[in-house]
Amino acid sequence: MSFYQGKNFELCYPDKKYATDLFWAIDNDRTELEKWLPWVKETNTVKDEENFLKYVQAQNEQQKMLALTIIVDKTACGMIDLHALDLNAKTAEIGYWLASPYQHQGIITVGAEQLVQYALTKLGLVRVGLLADVRNINSLRVAKRLGFKPEGVLRSYLRHNGQNIDVYSFSKLNTD
């Protein structure tokens, strides 16, 4: 089922049928994705991806997350989500990844715009946050293109690959 249909991609609700495509997208970009995303090391088989998709479907149903699969030419090639979704506090964080052959085409920017707009209007959120490793230039550019406001650096905020890393914190409010 489609959440958003763009001219060169669509955002669909997660489904087990996307597991093989997503696993191969992760596996083909494993070295690059592992730099930024801790869960990559735990995704070693199609079954691992199926289990993840089952998990996010349950999280979606419980309104703890809104995870979507990015589809280009009928191929699942990434995901975008609102996680840490708190409908009482009216806040969430956005996250995303996209297979390298599909990057630099505006897919993440447009998909994130759609998801943030949905979050701030339809879900009634007041804040969507975005955290990006200070070294992740592509994610920093996405935050800027989306009009997220910089809030500063959270020093040693996340543990990744055995090290504490600094992240930039950004946010977009419903009043921005």
Side-chain angles (χ1 to χ4, degrees), residues 7-20:
K7 69 178 176 182
N8 62 337
F9 75 98
E10 65 181 306
L11 301 177
C12 294
Y13 291 96
D15 191 291
K16 185 175 143 179
K17 69 184 178 185
Y18 302 131
T20 300

Side-chain angles (χ1 to χ4, degrees), residues 139-160:
S139 275
L140 299 177
R141 288 180 182 147
V142 167
K144 185 175 182 176
R145 280 193 301 271
L146 292 172
F148 274 65
K149 305 285 188 232
E151 298 177 322
V153 175
L154 303 175
R155 299 178 305 143
S156 294
Y157 187 74
L158 293 176
R159 186 111 178 123
H160 184 56

Side-chain angles (χ1 to χ4, degrees), residues 20-31:
T20 300
D21 285 350
L22 290 171
F23 172 73
W24 287 113
I26 292 164
D27 206 44
N28 288 332
D29 286 341
R30 187 169 296 278
T31 302

Side-chain angles (χ1 to χ4, degrees), residues 66-83:
L66 176 52
L68 301 165
T69 306
I70 301 168
I71 310 290
V72 177
D73 296 326
K74 299 183 182 176
T75 300
C77 56
M79 294 194 75
I80 189 166
D81 69 70
L82 293 173
H83 55 275

Side-chain angles (χ1 to χ4, degrees):
M1 188 161 97
S2 187
F3 173 88
Y4 168 78
Q5 182 98 28
K7 69 178 176 182
N8 62 337
F9 75 98
E10 65 181 306
L11 301 177
C12 294
Y13 291 96
D15 191 291
K16 185 175 143 179
K17 69 184 178 185
Y18 302 131
T20 300
D21 285 350
L22 290 171
F23 172 73
W24 287 113
I26 292 164
D27 206 44
N28 288 332
D29 286 341
R30 187 169 296 278
T31 302
E32 184 64 20
L33 290 173
E34 281 179 347
K35 290 179 188 176
W36 318 116
L37 303 168
W39 52 261
V40 173
K41 288 183 180 181
E42 298 164 11
T43 308
N44 298 302
T45 65
V46 172
K47 185 69 175 166
D48 292 338
E49 187 61 23
E50 286 176 358
N51 289 337
F52 174 74
L53 291 170
K54 184 177 177 183
Y55 165 78
V56 297
Q57 285 174 317
Q59 293 291 295
N60 280 0
E61 289 170 12
Q62 296 169 26
Q63 295 186 311
K64 294 180 180 177
M65 173 184 276
L66 176 52
L68 301 165
T69 306
I70 301 168
I71 310 290
V72 177
D73 296 326
K74 299 183 182 176
T75 300
C77 56
M79 294 194 75
I80 189 166
D81 69 70
L82 293 173
H83 55 275
L85 178 59
D86 186 332
L87 295 175
N88 290 323
K90 299 187 179 295
T91 61
E93 290 182 9
I94 192 167
Y96 42 80
W97 70 271
L98 186 63
S100 58
Y102 304 96
Q103 294 176 9
H104 309 293
Q105 298 174 33
I107 292 170
I108 290 296
T109 301
V110 173
E113 283 174 340
Q114 294 300 315
L115 190 54
V116 169
Q117 183 66 19
Y118 179 83
L120 297 176
T121 58
K122 302 289 188 205
L123 293 180
L125 300 187
V126 297
R127 181 185 195 281
V128 176
L130 187 157
L131 297 176
D133 186 311
V134 296
R135 301 163 297 165
N136 190 338
I137 301 303
N138 288 335
S139 275
L140 299 177
R141 288 180 182 147
V142 167
K144 185 175 182 176
R145 280 193 301 271
L146 292 172
F148 274 65
K149 305 285 188 232
E151 298 177 322
V153 175
L154 303 175
R155 299 178 305 143
S156 294
Y157 187 74
L158 293 176
R159 186 111 178 123
H160 184 56
N161 290 332
Q163 297 181 319
N164 284 61
I165 59 166
D166 296 349
V167 297
Y168 280 114
S169 176
F170 299 90
S171 68
K172 187 158 202 168
L173 304 180
N174 64 352
T175 56
D176 289 343

